[in-house]
Amino acid sequence: MAVDELQAIIQRCQILEEADFKGEDFNLFQVAGQKCLEDGYAAQLLEVIQNEKNKVIIKNMGWNLISPLVRCIFMYKQEDDKREHCLRILDQLAQLCNPKELFLGLLEQIEQTSGEQVCQTVMLLLQPLQTVLLKLQNKKAYSVGLSLAMIMNQLTPLPVPYTKQQIQEDKLGLCQCCNAVVDFAKPFVNEVVKNMEKSSEYNDMELKEELIKFCMKSLKYPLLTAQLEQLEGIEEHPFRHFATEIIDILWNIGELIPLMFAHHKGKSPHWEDQEFADIERKNSADSLACLSYLVFVQHFGVECFPMVFSPSYLLVCNMTHIEVLLKRTEESVLSKGLDLFESCLLRMEDNSLLHHYLEFRDFINVPQDLVKIMTLCPMEHMRKKSLSTLQLFIDKFDTEGKYTLFRCLLKTSNHAGVEGYIIKNIKDQIHLALTKEYDNIWFMGHHLISLLDLVLSLPEGAETDLLQNSDRIMASLNLLRYLVIKDCESDNQTGVWTTLGKIEQNFLKPLRVGLNMSKAHYEAEIKNKKENRKEAQSSNTVCSVTVSGEKMPPMTTGMQLQVLHSALFTFDLIESVLARVEELIEVKTKAVMDEN
């Protein structure tokens, strides 16, 4: 019987001194104890462990029972008495065992767990692990840091619940586990705070640094990808609660404000291996970006934040974080970047952002990232949000800033729709310049002419793909039409009449030639398709189309004709506006000549 075997080993070891225990004794104790647990004799094993005579034996050998004990706890049902006995054994081992040995045993058990049992195992062992760590005298900070790092490494591969239903179900127990880990860390936070209160020159930085590392890891996972908006029907959002606790830890140990501005100090740990340095830098950037989002968008810990910084300074500080977030493709992270950018911009008044800020690399990179989201992101709501955020960004700059930004985006966007949108913005700025009393040198005269050289041109002359560039061409024609109508040749406030010859040579004439060529080509295609339609229908001929390297579903002849007619309609639309522009130029020029 397993209990008899255990009693025999116990009696043999009771007469030995602690120093005389051999490896064989440890093995026999482990085997017998494991058999007791597996055969259902947890109550008898508990009695052996609680017996005062066995205190020395349990101190030295008890940690060997952790692995079988954890297995049995998960084997029994919640209401089973045997499970309760196992939990009491675990608690006793935490009180009686050698702290160093038990610490390693508990960590080994956490490290070995995987899959669906990760959160259950971590939550089961957090209390005994905390008890053991509080007993440790040597290398306490190192041991706390190792424990937190091991736990977070085990949690990180788990998917973060995102939807309301996933958060409520918490299938793997991640929401509950994260908050349990914060409770586990609290005694060590209190220890740091107490030591800081005792001495203003707190020198024991090891434990504090380990807690900072834990907070940084928590900001990257799970908070960076977690849904943090308040959800209806969830009274206490687990990730919002977790975020609050992490911010509280950072505030209590005096690191919240320093971390908010950490990237401006330019300090980073030195690594011999460049690959490690890059990984560390990226992880730190993700964590700090998430921290900024929590403070400035979700307003966690905002009551601790000093309200002495100007909105423009806060924008400068956050642009690095915004760029980090907008570089990602996950919806949960991308939306945080857009929300943080929008939040910073809404604090500012229109036209208040000086053009000098465009000398910062981030101020050029971020709008380019917005353009990528607008044109490449598969999620429509994200494309719309990035467009509205780009407009908000444009609105905040002074006139020189707007002018510089427009030039930059026209040169770098490589997308006709975006270029058309920027040209519409240029038209709006010209309208303001013409209707306001004060001088606006950036959207009048020689500065505007320089900008119009970029706008009123065809990338490849008459051979430009007019269909692909139709958005840009229509916006350019509408701008030119506006200039011709609003700015009389006699006034020539914008300078457009001075450069009209160049515009006709570089834009209007090549456009007319290109339209004629394109229309002729498409009309010939339509004629050809119609002539071959009967043959195509009888043989069920289909056409395959490739877009961006991906094959689209096959097109019937009818569908091909529909596409060709749609293209012709676009050309007709461009031609009608072009004709109107040419007519206006002719009328205005003739009127001036008649006057003269």
Side-chain angles (χ1 to χ4, degrees):
M1 189 177 167
V3 177
D4 293 336
E5 288 178 25
L6 180 66
Q7 288 288 6
I9 295 159
I10 291 291
Q11 284 168 10
R12 193 162 76 91
C13 291
Q14 277 178 345
I15 59 172
L16 296 173
E17 291 295 324
E18 189 175 345
D20 296 331
F21 291 153
K22 295 176 183 174
E24 183 188 353
D25 299 324
F26 284 86
N27 292 337
L28 289 170
F29 177 82
Q30 183 180 7
V31 171
Q34 183 173 331
K35 205 170 179 196
C36 283
L37 289 167
E38 289 170 352
D39 292 352
Y41 296 113
Q44 288 83 343
L45 180 58
L46 178 61
E47 284 178 22
V48 170
I49 290 170
Q50 287 176 327
N51 190 329
E52 191 70 24
K53 293 178 184 177
N54 303 328
K55 199 172 181 181
V56 176
I57 299 168
I58 301 305
K59 177 190 172 187
N60 288 277
M61 302 183 190
W63 66 273
N64 282 306
L65 297 175
I66 291 295
S67 183
L69 193 58
V70 170
R71 279 201 303 275
C72 289
I73 289 170
F74 290 137
M75 186 174 69
Y76 296 127
K77 289 182 180 176
Q78 195 76 27
E79 62 279 1
D80 198 321
D81 287 343
K82 291 173 185 173
R83 188 177 193 276
E84 184 57 37
H85 290 138
C86 288
L87 289 170
R88 288 177 64 190
I89 290 170
L90 184 61
D91 182 56
Q92 284 294 307
L93 293 177
Q95 302 297 333
L96 300 172
C97 287
N98 181 312
K100 184 182 174 183
E101 301 292 349
L102 186 58
F103 168 69
L104 294 173
L106 291 168
L107 272 198
E108 186 181 3
Q109 195 59 39
I110 291 172
E111 187 180 21
Q112 288 173 355
T113 188
S114 61
E116 294 184 5
Q117 281 200 327
V118 168
C119 290
Q120 294 175 39
T121 306
V122 168
M123 284 191 285
L124 175 68
L125 300 181
L126 278 176
Q127 188 57 56
L129 185 58
Q130 186 190 69
T131 303
V132 169
L133 286 169
L134 289 169
K135 286 182 177 183
L136 285 177
Q137 299 301 320
N138 299 324
K139 294 190 175 180
K140 184 176 183 177
Y142 169 78
S143 302
V144 170
L146 187 62
S147 303
L148 290 168
M150 179 72 73
I151 291 166
M152 294 308 292
N153 287 344
Q154 289 296 86
L155 296 180
T156 300
L158 301 179
V160 178
Y162 190 70
T163 65
K164 178 182 174 181
Q165 186 181 348
Q166 287 171 346
I167 291 169
Q168 285 177 320
E169 285 177 1
D170 194 18
K171 199 172 178 182
L172 298 176
L174 181 66
C175 301
Q176 191 182 350
C177 188
C178 285
N179 285 299
V181 174
V182 167
D183 290 337
F184 164 81
K186 280 181 180 176
F188 310 109
V189 175
N190 293 337
E191 187 177 323
V192 170
V193 172
K194 206 173 282 182
N195 288 331
M196 287 168 68
E197 287 171 354
K198 280 180 187 174
S199 169
S200 57
E201 295 178 9
Y202 176 55
N203 294 319
D204 184 14
M205 293 296 291
E206 285 185 22
L207 185 55
K208 186 177 181 180
E209 283 175 6
E210 296 299 343
L211 291 171
I212 294 169
K213 286 178 193 173
F214 163 65
C215 290
M216 292 291 275
K217 281 185 180 176
S218 301
L219 288 165
K220 183 174 171 62
Y221 176 94
L223 292 175
L224 184 63
T225 52
Q227 161 66 271
L228 291 166
E229 298 295 334
Q230 195 65 263
L231 297 172
E232 193 179 338
I234 298 181
E235 194 171 325
E236 186 169 35
H237 191 311
F239 288 127
R240 286 181 68 85
H241 180 263
F242 182 63
T244 304
E245 295 285 1
I246 293 297
I247 296 290
D248 283 349
I249 290 174
L250 289 172
W251 173 252
N252 289 332
I253 63 175
E255 289 297 321
L256 179 61
I257 304 303
L259 277 176
M260 294 293 294
F261 301 100
H263 63 286
H264 281 281
K265 295 176 185 176
K267 291 180 181 177
S268 58
H270 176 72
W271 294 91
E272 294 294 332
D273 190 319
Q274 186 56 42
E275 191 178 340
F276 276 124
D278 293 340
I279 291 168
E280 177 68 24
R281 200 178 298 114
K282 186 185 181 307
N283 289 340
S284 175
D286 287 341
S287 301
L288 293 174
C290 184
L291 179 62
S292 268
Y293 169 81
L294 293 177
V295 173
F296 292 110
V297 179
Q298 294 299 335
H299 304 124
F300 293 120
V302 75
E303 67 281 355
C304 309
F305 199 79
M307 296 298 169
V308 295
F309 303 111
S310 69
S312 57
Y313 178 73
L314 291 178
L315 178 64
V316 171
C317 291
N318 278 308
M319 283 301 265
T320 304
H321 305 316
I322 292 162
E323 186 182 0
V324 166
L325 297 171
L326 294 186
K327 286 277 192 282
R328 298 285 285 269
T329 54
E330 308 96 310
E331 180 187 359
S332 54
V333 183
L334 207 51
S335 62
K336 287 181 176 67
L338 291 171
D339 288 343
L340 178 58
F341 196 16
E342 183 185 57
S343 171
C344 291
L345 292 172
L346 288 173
R347 297 167 190 269
M348 306 185 69
E349 292 182 9
D350 287 354
N351 309 307
S352 65
L353 194 59
L354 299 175
H355 61 276
H356 304 299
Y357 287 109
L358 287 167
E359 293 171 13
F360 294 120
R361 180 181 54 84
D362 302 329
F363 277 76
I364 295 296
N365 290 350
V366 166
Q368 289 176 351
D369 290 333
L370 287 177
V371 167
K372 285 177 186 172
I373 299 166
M374 285 157 52
T375 55
L376 300 174
C377 182
M379 293 164 282
E380 186 184 0
H381 67 285
M382 295 300 242
R383 295 197 300 272
K384 286 181 176 177
K385 179 73 181 278
S386 62
L387 177 63
S388 63
T389 307
L390 177 63
Q391 187 59 59
L392 200 58
F393 186 55
I394 291 167
D395 292 343
K396 299 307 169 187
F397 273 102
D398 59 17
T399 51
E400 186 178 348
K402 288 184 176 76
Y403 177 89
T404 309
L405 189 58
F406 292 156
R407 287 190 73 92
C408 171
L409 290 173
L410 282 172
K411 287 179 178 178
T412 59
S413 66
N414 297 317
H415 189 278
V418 176
E419 289 163 3
Y421 186 79
I422 297 303
I423 292 166
K424 182 186 173 297
N425 263 278
I426 292 170
K427 176 173 162 285
D428 293 341
Q429 290 304 312
I430 294 169
H431 177 73
L432 286 173
L434 288 170
T435 52
K436 285 191 175 178
E437 291 180 6
Y438 61 85
D439 289 337
N440 181 343
I441 61 166
W442 293 99
F443 292 95
M444 306 272 268
H446 71 277
H447 287 301
L448 178 59
I449 298 304
S450 173
L451 194 57
L452 291 179
D453 286 343
L454 278 176
V455 172
L456 303 175
S457 63
L458 294 174
E460 293 161 41
E463 293 177 6
T464 300
D465 186 335
L466 301 186
L467 204 57
Q468 193 175 335
N469 288 277
S470 59
D471 287 342
R472 179 196 168 115
I473 291 166
M474 284 297 290
S476 299
L477 286 170
N478 281 326
L479 170 59
L480 185 55
R481 179 174 60 178
Y482 172 83
L483 288 170
V484 172
I485 292 170
K486 281 287 181 182
D487 191 13
C488 298
E489 189 176 354
S490 54
D491 295 338
N492 196 22
Q493 288 176 275
T494 60
V496 70
W497 293 99
T498 312
T499 191
L500 197 57
K502 190 178 178 183
I503 292 168
E504 286 178 339
Q505 193 64 36
N506 294 343
F507 182 58
L508 298 179
K509 284 180 182 176
L511 181 56
R512 173 62 69 187
V513 173
L515 276 171
N516 292 337
M517 287 164 57
S518 299
K519 285 181 75 176
H521 172 72
Y522 276 79
E523 282 166 355
E525 278 290 311
I526 288 170
K527 187 180 178 184
N528 185 40
K529 294 289 177 195
K530 283 180 177 176
E531 286 172 359
N532 296 326
R533 193 168 194 176
K534 287 181 184 178
E535 185 188 334
Q537 283 174 342
S538 62
S539 62
N540 291 322
T541 305
V542 292
C543 166
S544 69
V545 179
T546 304
V547 178
S548 299
E550 289 186 22
K551 264 199 169 184
M552 302 301 285
M555 290 179 71
T556 63
T557 307
M559 291 164 73
Q560 292 173 53
L561 281 167
Q562 196 176 347
V563 170
L564 292 168
H565 278 296
S566 176
L568 269 182
F569 176 76
T570 302
F571 297 144
D572 288 340
L573 201 60
I574 293 172
E575 190 173 34
S576 67
V577 182
L578 175 60
R580 178 63 179 145
V581 169
E582 289 173 335
E583 181 190 345
L584 284 166
I585 290 170
E586 188 181 342
V587 168
K588 289 246 180 176
T589 308
K590 191 172 183 297
V592 171
M593 285 173 70
D594 289 348
E595 256 183 53
N596 291 338

